[in-house]
Amino acid sequence: MKIIKHLYILLILVSTLASAQVKFDAKPSKTKLGINERLRIDFEMNQDGDNFNPPDFNGFTVVGGPNQSVSNSWINGKRSFKKTYSYFLAPKKRGSFTISQATITIDGETFKTTPLKIEVTAAVDIPKDPNDPNYLASENIHLVAEISKTNPYLNEAITVVYKLYVSPKIAVDNWNEIDSPRYNDFWSQNINTQGQKVQNGTYNGEDYRYLVLRKTVLYPQKTGKLNIEPLTLDLSMRVPSNRRDIFGSLLMTRVNRTVSAGNQTINVKGLPEEGKPADFTGAVGDFKLNVSSSKTELDATESLLLSVKVSGNGNLKLFKLPKISLPSSLEVYEPEHKEDVTTNLSGMQGSISDSYTVVPQFKGKYPIPSISFSYFDLKSKSYKRLTSNEIVINVLNGPSNNAVASNANQAANSNKQAVVLNNDQFAFIKTKTNFSAVKPKYFFKSSTFWGLLLLPFLAIPLAIIIRKKKATRDADVSGNKIRKANKLARKYLSNAKKALGKKEAFYIALEKALHNYLKAKLQIETNELSKDKIKSLLAEKCVEESVIKDFEGILESCELARYTPIDIVTMQEDYDKAAKTISLIDKQAR
């Protein structure tokens, strides 16, 4: 009998020790997956701990998590506890990978999980399960790169427009670029797309909403096949599930997905060699040439501006303007380059110019020879040449250039005139002057003197008026109470206002603001915040029943908004209602 009793006690001790054993495991959703699939790993423990350290997840990108869940239950007097950290991973490449150990500290002792072997294969067909959130996300969202032309000429403008197509069935909460195209071998210019609105369109014959994310103008700088790198986005979205809430509406499931526009290849054609001018500098488009002078008649040592300007449509920033050739007796300074160019979806438009400052030294007539400019015309697919008219500069007054006259034959052959130095070419302007007043001014009896003397007397009635207004404001008890209530409402709702447009963050901040206000106003603790308790305390403070119902309605909205789609208009209405209700409570409460 004693042996049976001892065995029974031993059995109880063994079962107690077994129930108290700590378990810490890593559980993958699958050990073999395609490169286009997602992997979920749950780290589970049966006792709460501290200092949880996940593994480094080599070979994978963390696209979601950590999501934490805790379950605590009592069944037949026995406690059951489970805490889980969940991670969602996307493989970076094919191969075999090892998920290393995770660690946690429980009761001062460190526990580790067993390493996991994961095999990543080639892409697999995603099962067409209409209830699978990942399948719904892949079928209802698309990132597309639309290229205006796939076989342009060298230095011909093309555009790339990135559009995100989203089905009306799902909702995108947030997105961010994780990989931006770098446009190697292109001159590129991004066009501002801020303020773009969601538009309605079709994709593969179905109705979609789309948003233009980026517009870029490209000018290829090499011939042959050039690669346009893809734009890659990480999207946080909500897709419908097969579950419904207490009101019968479909519950939304949050999904993270990476989408890419894919690599695009264009074939760049070289410019034809036949008929190519010797002075061609790479201009491609449709242009006009204008050479002008600010003056055609002037005196020696005066200056004029000579402008060489090319305007039109094309690669204006990617070629050089032709140079002018002037006689040596005309002093020429380095040109000032100006660009007045705008870039839109059709490419560069505007003008570029070089402005030369020219100073003649001697009187006479100086011809400025015509200059030419050649470019490749995309419409006719041929080279064209533009030529300016000759301009004659007539210098009326100034010293004669005798050296040039005596060497006329040499000047005719060289088309240059000799420069004769003259020490009196320029009369410099003084940059500083010293002026003194004819009649001295005195401070005594001046307007400043009388103004400063009368200023204290003018300030006395102003101070009396300000003091009376302050006394009137202090006596307005009702008005002060309203202003204080409005200020208090703005104080508690400031964080919620900053989160407008972000549904979850907004309603969490709004609910926290309401709770903090009640704790401060009613002087209660967090564990006492129940609907019945709040209602009774507000009623004791003589708050009107309609105001109490509005307050309860806002709290219910905060709870329901986490599970239902909400637009920014509804958020603004809830914010305004909360501010008004807090103000009324603070005004009525006694």
Side-chain angles (χ1 to χ4, degrees):
M1 194 69 181
K2 288 184 178 180
I3 294 174
I4 295 174
K5 186 176 181 180
H6 290 162
L7 288 174
Y8 180 72
I9 294 172
L10 183 62
L11 183 62
I12 292 174
L13 291 173
V14 170
S15 63
T16 303
L17 291 173
S19 63
Q21 184 178 3
V22 175
K23 292 183 179 180
F24 180 46
D25 300 317
K27 298 181 179 180
S29 58
K30 56 183 74 176
T31 56
K32 185 177 181 180
L33 70 155
I35 196 170
N36 60 331
E37 293 184 294
R38 297 292 182 265
L39 174 67
R40 172 176 175 168
I41 298 183
D42 294 332
F43 297 94
E44 296 182 356
M45 63 204 74
N46 64 346
Q47 290 188 29
D48 200 1
D50 301 311
N51 302 324
F52 172 72
N53 291 315
D56 51 14
F57 300 117
N58 284 333
F60 295 87
T61 300
V62 178
V63 297
N67 297 337
Q68 180 178 335
S69 62
V70 177
S71 65
N72 196 358
S73 61
W74 291 86
I75 301 175
N76 296 328
K78 185 178 180 181
R79 179 175 178 267
S80 175
F81 177 85
K82 184 173 75 172
K83 186 175 183 179
T84 306
Y85 291 95
S86 300
Y87 288 83
F88 297 88
L89 311 176
K92 296 180 179 179
K93 58 182 179 180
R94 289 190 286 175
S96 296
F97 303 93
T98 300
I99 305 294
S100 56
Q101 295 175 314
T103 62
I104 195 169
T105 303
I106 300 176
D107 294 334
E109 186 176 353
T110 301
F111 293 87
K112 299 181 180 180
T113 59
T114 304
L116 300 174
K117 298 287 185 180
I118 305 296
E119 182 180 355
V120 179
T121 64
V124 298
D125 294 333
I126 299 176
K128 297 182 178 181
D129 182 3
N131 295 323
D132 183 10
N134 291 315
Y135 172 74
L136 287 174
S138 65
E139 291 294 310
N140 290 281
I141 193 162
H142 310 277
L143 181 60
V144 178
E146 297 180 355
I147 301 177
S148 61
K149 195 171 185 179
T150 57
N151 58 340
Y153 280 103
L154 182 70
N155 268 316
E156 179 183 359
I158 63 173
T159 58
V160 183
V161 180
Y162 296 93
K163 294 181 179 179
L164 181 65
Y165 286 88
V166 181
S167 172
K169 302 176 185 177
I170 66 175
V172 176
D173 292 332
N174 191 21
W175 63 270
N176 64 294
E177 292 186 11
I178 59 176
D179 190 15
S180 301
R182 285 171 288 187
Y183 305 120
N184 296 326
D185 303 322
F186 292 91
W187 183 95
S188 63
Q189 174 71 55
N190 289 328
I191 298 175
N192 185 17
T193 56
Q194 291 184 355
Q196 292 282 334
K197 296 182 179 179
V198 176
Q199 304 177 52
N200 294 322
T202 58
Y203 182 82
N204 289 339
E206 297 184 7
D207 291 334
Y208 271 78
R209 298 165 296 163
Y210 72 89
L211 179 66
V212 177
L213 300 180
R214 178 182 288 200
K215 297 178 182 178
T216 305
V217 176
L218 303 176
Y219 283 87
Q221 302 298 294
K222 288 175 60 177
T223 59
K225 292 185 177 180
L226 302 184
N227 180 52
I228 298 178
E229 296 182 351
L231 174 67
T232 305
L233 305 178
D234 180 42
L235 297 165
S236 175
M237 66 190 80
R238 288 174 287 118
V239 299
S241 64
N242 58 353
R243 296 179 293 118
R244 296 182 180 271
D245 59 16
I246 58 175
F247 301 104
S249 301
L250 282 174
L251 292 175
M252 306 293 281
T253 301
R254 188 174 296 280
V255 176
N256 283 85
R257 181 169 179 80
T258 301
V259 295
S260 175
N263 282 290
Q264 304 287 335
T265 302
I266 64 170
N267 187 19
V268 181
K269 298 179 292 186
L271 299 177
E273 293 295 329
E274 183 180 356
K276 188 175 183 179
D279 61 348
F280 178 71
T281 58
V284 177
D286 183 15
F287 302 104
K288 294 180 180 178
L289 174 65
N290 181 37
V291 179
S292 62
S293 175
S294 61
K295 300 176 184 177
T296 56
E297 291 186 351
L298 72 164
D299 294 335
T301 69
E302 289 184 0
S303 64
L304 62 89
L305 286 178
L306 189 64
S307 174
V308 179
K309 183 178 181 180
V310 172
S311 59
N313 303 328
N315 59 334
L316 288 163
K317 296 182 179 181
L318 303 177
F319 61 84
K320 294 182 179 180
L321 291 171
K323 300 293 184 180
I324 58 174
S325 177
L326 297 176
S328 59
S329 58
L330 296 177
E331 186 173 356
V332 184
Y333 294 91
E334 284 296 322
E336 180 183 358
H337 185 74
K338 292 184 179 180
E339 294 181 354
D340 184 13
V341 181
T342 59
T343 306
N344 53 31
L345 285 180
S346 61
M348 299 185 203
Q349 297 178 350
S351 64
I352 58 174
S353 63
D354 284 342
S355 296
Y356 297 83
T357 300
V358 180
V359 181
Q361 303 299 314
F362 307 99
K363 69 178 180 179
K365 292 186 178 181
Y366 300 92
I368 297 177
S370 63
I371 60 175
S372 63
F373 169 72
S374 59
Y375 68 94
F376 182 75
D377 183 30
L378 292 170
K379 295 180 180 178
S380 62
K381 297 182 180 178
S382 62
Y383 293 97
K384 291 188 176 182
R385 178 179 293 278
L386 302 174
T387 304
S388 67
N389 297 323
E390 183 183 78
I391 300 175
V392 177
I393 305 299
N394 187 14
V395 182
L396 302 175
N397 299 311
S400 298
N401 192 348
N402 297 324
V404 174
S406 63
N407 299 311
N409 294 332
Q410 183 180 355
N413 295 331
S414 63
N415 197 25
K416 292 185 179 181
Q417 299 179 7
V419 178
V420 178
L421 299 177
N422 188 348
N423 294 330
D424 298 328
Q425 293 181 34
F426 295 98
F428 292 99
I429 300 172
K430 292 182 178 180
T431 58
K432 293 183 179 180
T433 56
N434 295 319
F435 294 102
S436 59
V438 178
K439 294 182 179 180
K441 294 183 179 180
Y442 300 99
F443 175 71
F444 182 68
K445 292 186 179 180
S446 64
S447 56
T448 306
F449 170 79
W450 292 114
L452 293 174
L453 184 63
L454 297 175
L455 184 61
F457 298 99
L458 296 175
I460 292 173
L462 183 62
I464 294 173
I465 294 172
I466 294 173
R467 185 173 181 180
K468 285 184 177 180
K469 287 188 175 182
K470 185 177 182 302
T472 304
R473 185 183 180 94
D474 293 341
D476 184 11
V477 178
S478 177
N480 288 335
K481 196 168 186 179
I482 293 173
R483 285 189 289 271
K484 182 180 178 182
N486 292 335
K487 183 178 179 181
L488 190 64
R490 288 193 299 270
K491 171 187 174 183
Y492 281 102
L493 296 175
S494 59
N495 291 334
K497 188 173 184 179
K498 293 176 183 176
L500 269 172
K502 303 175 183 178
K503 190 192 71 173
E504 287 193 8
F506 170 76
Y507 281 102
I508 290 173
L510 184 62
E511 187 177 22
K512 188 179 292 184
L514 296 174
H515 285 170
N516 289 338
Y517 170 74
L518 286 177
K519 288 163 59 179
K521 189 68 181 177
L522 303 179
Q523 297 182 355
I524 57 176
E525 299 298 328
T526 304
N527 56 9
E528 296 177 324
L529 284 173
S530 65
K531 291 183 179 179
D532 294 337
K533 183 76 172 179
I534 293 170
K535 185 175 181 180
S536 62
L537 289 175
L538 290 176
E540 289 177 5
K541 290 187 173 290
C542 301
V543 178
E544 294 178 1
E545 186 176 354
S546 60
V547 178
I548 298 175
K549 288 183 179 180
D550 288 343
F551 192 87
E552 292 178 342
I554 297 169
L555 289 176
E556 291 178 359
S557 297
C558 294
E559 295 175 359
L560 295 176
R562 302 180 186 178
Y563 309 102
T564 56
I566 297 293
D567 55 22
I568 192 170
V569 176
T570 306
M571 294 184 198
Q572 185 65 50
E573 291 175 354
D574 288 341
Y575 174 81
D576 294 338
K577 188 176 180 181
K580 181 180 178 182
T581 305
I582 289 177
S583 179
L584 288 173
I585 292 174
D586 204 65
K587 179 182 175 182
Q588 296 174 9
R590 298 177 182 174

